[in-house]
Amino acid sequence: MNDNKKMTALVSLFALAYHRERYGVTVYDDPLSKRLLSEETYSAIAEEMTKGAPFFDSRLKDDPEPLRRVVDGFLSPAPLARAAFCAQSLETASRLGTTQYVLLGSGFDTFPYRQPDWAKRMTIFEVDRPEVIEEKQKRLSQSGI
């Protein structure tokens, strides 16, 4: 699979994993995110983001924690907010009787593999490009999820 086609999904997954690993209180907690990435991929993304920090903000060139600033300021806000909002909305919909959930552009979202009790009765459909779904299945299998 072309790396450019999965980069957004990988960086979003990295942001969720970094957030969970770094902070005790999380906006959104995805316990499978780092497993789906693998330690090698997680480290490679962290290294590239650290090296590329000045791209995001030239003042980060001399920052002692450029990775944290890049992730907190640029990478994680959108995936964290989207995931938290979606989970809260889905829980409300579930309580109102919703039984199906369609993840359009599902990327490497792990919700279908770690459902809370309120979501277990839902049928979940993951929709994405075939190469993304194939890559995700491979990562799920390799990580034992």
Side-chain angles (χ1 to χ4, degrees):
M1 176 180 189
N2 182 326
D3 283 344
N4 291 334
K5 290 185 177 182
K6 66 180 175 183
M7 190 54 64
T8 300
L10 284 171
V11 171
S12 293
L13 192 61
F14 171 80
L16 294 172
Y18 182 90
H19 180 72
R20 180 175 202 268
E21 190 171 79
R22 178 114 176 133
Y23 301 104
V25 176
T26 57
V27 172
Y28 182 77
D29 188 21
D30 182 347
L32 300 180
S33 55
K34 192 164 182 186
R35 284 179 55 195
L36 200 58
L37 274 172
S38 83
E39 189 62 46
E40 181 181 326
T41 303
Y42 180 90
S43 296
I45 293 172
E47 182 179 332
E48 289 302 314
M49 290 299 161
T50 300
K51 286 193 293 190
F55 168 81
F56 293 97
D57 184 337
S58 61
R59 295 171 294 180
L60 295 178
K61 181 178 63 159
D62 299 318
D63 193 290
E65 290 189 271
L67 180 60
R68 183 177 68 81
R69 300 217 194 285
V70 166
V71 175
D72 290 353
F74 300 95
L75 301 181
S76 67
L80 287 171
R82 181 178 57 238
F85 175 80
C86 187
Q88 291 170 0
S89 298
L90 188 59
E91 182 175 6
T92 298
S94 172
R95 292 179 196 283
L96 295 172
T98 298
T99 60
Q100 295 182 347
Y101 176 36
V102 179
L103 277 158
L104 293 175
S106 60
F108 297 136
D109 191 313
T110 66
F111 183 83
Y113 310 96
R114 54 175 178 78
Q115 301 160 355
D117 287 339
W118 56 262
K120 289 191 188 315
R121 67 179 177 274
M122 293 183 139
T123 302
I124 300 174
F125 301 93
E126 296 183 83
V127 180
D128 210 316
R129 294 184 314 269
E131 61 270 16
V132 174
I133 295 293
E134 184 180 315
E135 176 73 15
K136 182 177 186 176
Q137 291 300 318
K138 182 175 111 182
R139 288 174 179 275
L140 289 164
S141 178
Q142 288 173 340
S143 65
I145 299 172

